[in-house]
Amino acid sequence: ISRRLREEKNWTCSKCNVDMTGNKGGLHTHHINGVKSDNSTRNLKVLCALCHKGIDAHHATMHVKPSIERYILANRNTK
């Protein structure tokens, strides 16, 4: 489900619009309501790792690999 959704969104973060085609591991599927078993389309949002980390207090401690963080920061706003 996650891969299909990320493919449908062209490997692009729905919040900051960073293209993650070159680093697909840094693009996540966020469960909006926090229920991981609720995989309905309305509950899923495609986010880069940094936007996912910043989505709320619960995710603030999420680890993002330095290489992924560098990739996101270097490729944001390049469109």
Side-chain angles (χ1 to χ4, degrees):
I1 294 170
S2 175
R3 182 174 178 89
R4 188 192 74 216
L5 184 62
R6 290 178 293 146
E7 286 173 352
E8 287 174 6
K9 300 297 182 180
N10 296 315
W11 300 97
T12 301
C13 176
S14 62
K15 186 171 181 187
C16 73
N17 294 313
V18 65
D19 182 347
M20 295 299 294
T21 304
N23 199 328
K24 294 177 180 176
L27 193 65
H28 302 171
T29 303
H30 170 64
H31 290 84
I32 297 167
N33 67 7
V35 179
K36 293 194 176 211
S37 62
D38 181 357
N39 293 317
S40 60
T41 304
R42 69 183 179 282
N43 186 46
L44 301 176
K45 188 171 193 173
V46 174
L47 298 171
C48 72
L50 291 182
C51 287
H52 198 188
K53 182 177 180 172
I55 200 79
D56 58 29
H58 173 74
H59 290 84
T61 59
M62 186 175 76
H63 175 73
V64 177
K65 291 181 183 178
S67 60
I68 291 174
E69 183 172 352
R70 283 190 303 271
Y71 180 91
I72 293 168
L73 294 174
N75 290 283
R76 276 185 177 165
N77 304 314
T78 58
K79 286 186 177 181

